[in-house]
Amino acid sequence: MKYKHLFFDLDHTLWDFDANAKLTLQDLYDTLKLEERGVDDFGRFYRQYLEHNTKLWARYRNGFIKQAELRVKRMQLALLDFKIGDEPLAQEMSRRFLEMLPTRNILFPYAAEILDYLTSKNYRLHLITNGFEEVQHHKINNSGINHYFDKVVTSEGSNSLKPNKEIFDFALAATGARKEESIMLGDDLEADIIGAANAGLDQVYINHVNKLPGFKPTYTVYSLKELEAIF
């Protein structure tokens, strides 16, 4: 068995961020009566939120904005798409969203089963996530998968972010793992796959949405069940 340590990403890899965010935003849309405030199409609002969130996370990863700005600005920009410039509303939405989102527990199909399978084969499982410490721990606890992982490394806890080499080095040191016996599994080509490659780790690209990558990972799968063919 070449690999001993399997480092998973969390959001968009095991924990279905988009599905959980949609449920939470729908709840906010209803409770805050956003339709009465001018957000007349929830589907469009949700799509705009995802688009802004993706772009802001890229800026956050590259050090252009801080955590607090990311959290509020994604709401502000989604509201502005409906010509609503209401900063107190954006602040309230951000606060409630961060309280509610980690309580959601939708995982990708076969997530619990593959973690069971890998554990039964005596792999040591860990997480490397760009999420925030408290939020990410709430997610894995509420999803019932916390017991699978020996170590959870967050960007906040490591003072670094994927794809920076430092967060992978931190994770290896924290787990006592050697590069040659470790592999990174994630959905984000830049943060997880290229980042791990630059840190000297093999990678599994978990390509849930069938993207065409411009980089050749060590392995590529299109569902979590396909990991059984590798491990």
Side-chain angles (χ1 to χ4, degrees):
M1 188 169 71
K2 177 181 178 182
Y3 303 110
K4 294 180 181 177
H5 295 267
L6 276 54
F7 293 89
F8 276 90
D9 173 53
L10 181 61
D11 294 338
H12 305 282
T13 296
L14 296 170
W15 194 82
D16 192 338
F17 181 93
D18 290 357
N20 288 305
K22 188 172 187 178
L23 273 179
T24 305
L25 288 169
Q26 181 70 68
D27 200 331
L28 289 175
Y29 185 82
D30 295 337
T31 56
L32 294 174
K33 297 181 170 54
L34 295 186
E35 186 172 13
E36 296 176 11
R37 296 172 184 252
V39 183
D40 57 1
D41 183 340
F42 173 74
R44 182 178 156 229
F45 176 77
Y46 170 67
R47 290 189 298 273
Q48 294 301 109
Y49 167 83
L50 289 181
E51 183 178 328
H52 292 306
N53 188 55
T54 299
K55 290 177 180 177
L56 288 165
W57 265 100
R59 290 181 59 75
Y60 174 66
R61 279 202 305 265
N62 291 318
F64 295 123
I65 60 172
K66 300 293 186 184
Q67 176 189 126
E69 184 179 354
L70 182 155
R71 290 173 164 181
V72 177
K73 199 162 189 177
R74 56 192 176 185
M75 299 299 178
Q76 286 178 323
L77 293 174
L79 289 172
L80 282 172
D81 289 331
F82 290 84
K83 297 182 169 51
I84 301 169
D86 189 335
E87 186 168 344
L89 176 60
Q91 293 276 1
E92 177 69 5
M93 289 176 66
S94 176
R95 183 185 66 78
R96 293 196 190 194
F97 183 79
L98 288 168
E99 288 175 357
M100 297 163 61
L101 182 66
T103 69
R104 307 293 184 187
N105 58 9
I106 302 173
L107 300 172
F108 278 97
Y110 212 71
E113 291 87 346
I114 198 63
L115 294 174
D116 269 333
Y117 168 84
L118 295 169
T119 301
S120 74
K121 299 196 76 173
N122 296 318
Y123 289 103
R124 290 187 62 190
L125 309 183
H126 316 283
L127 285 171
I128 305 179
T129 168
N130 274 355
F132 311 118
E133 187 83 14
E134 184 178 358
V135 172
Q136 299 304 75
H137 279 282
H138 280 316
K139 287 177 184 175
I140 62 172
N141 289 337
N142 290 323
S143 301
I145 59 173
N146 55 310
H147 62 286
Y148 292 112
F149 301 105
D150 290 352
K151 188 72 178 176
V152 177
V153 175
T154 68
S155 53
E156 194 172 20
S158 64
N159 199 31
S160 186
L161 283 160
K162 295 179 292 184
N164 296 334
K165 182 176 181 290
E166 289 78 12
I167 192 169
F168 296 101
D169 290 342
F170 181 96
L172 291 170
T175 56
R178 291 181 291 123
K179 289 181 182 181
E180 58 270 22
E181 62 185 17
S182 303
I183 190 165
M184 179 70 203
L185 302 89
D187 74 292
D188 190 300
L189 196 65
E190 179 188 357
D192 299 317
I193 306 307
I194 296 174
N198 290 338
L201 299 177
D202 284 355
Q203 330 88 41
V204 181
Y205 181 33
I206 300 177
N207 192 355
H208 286 300
V209 294
N210 201 16
K211 291 180 182 175
L212 288 174
F215 175 88
K216 185 169 175 53
T218 314
Y219 304 96
T220 298
V221 299
Y222 299 90
S223 71
L224 292 172
K225 184 168 176 55
E226 291 177 50
L227 293 174
E228 291 177 358
I230 300 173
F231 303 105

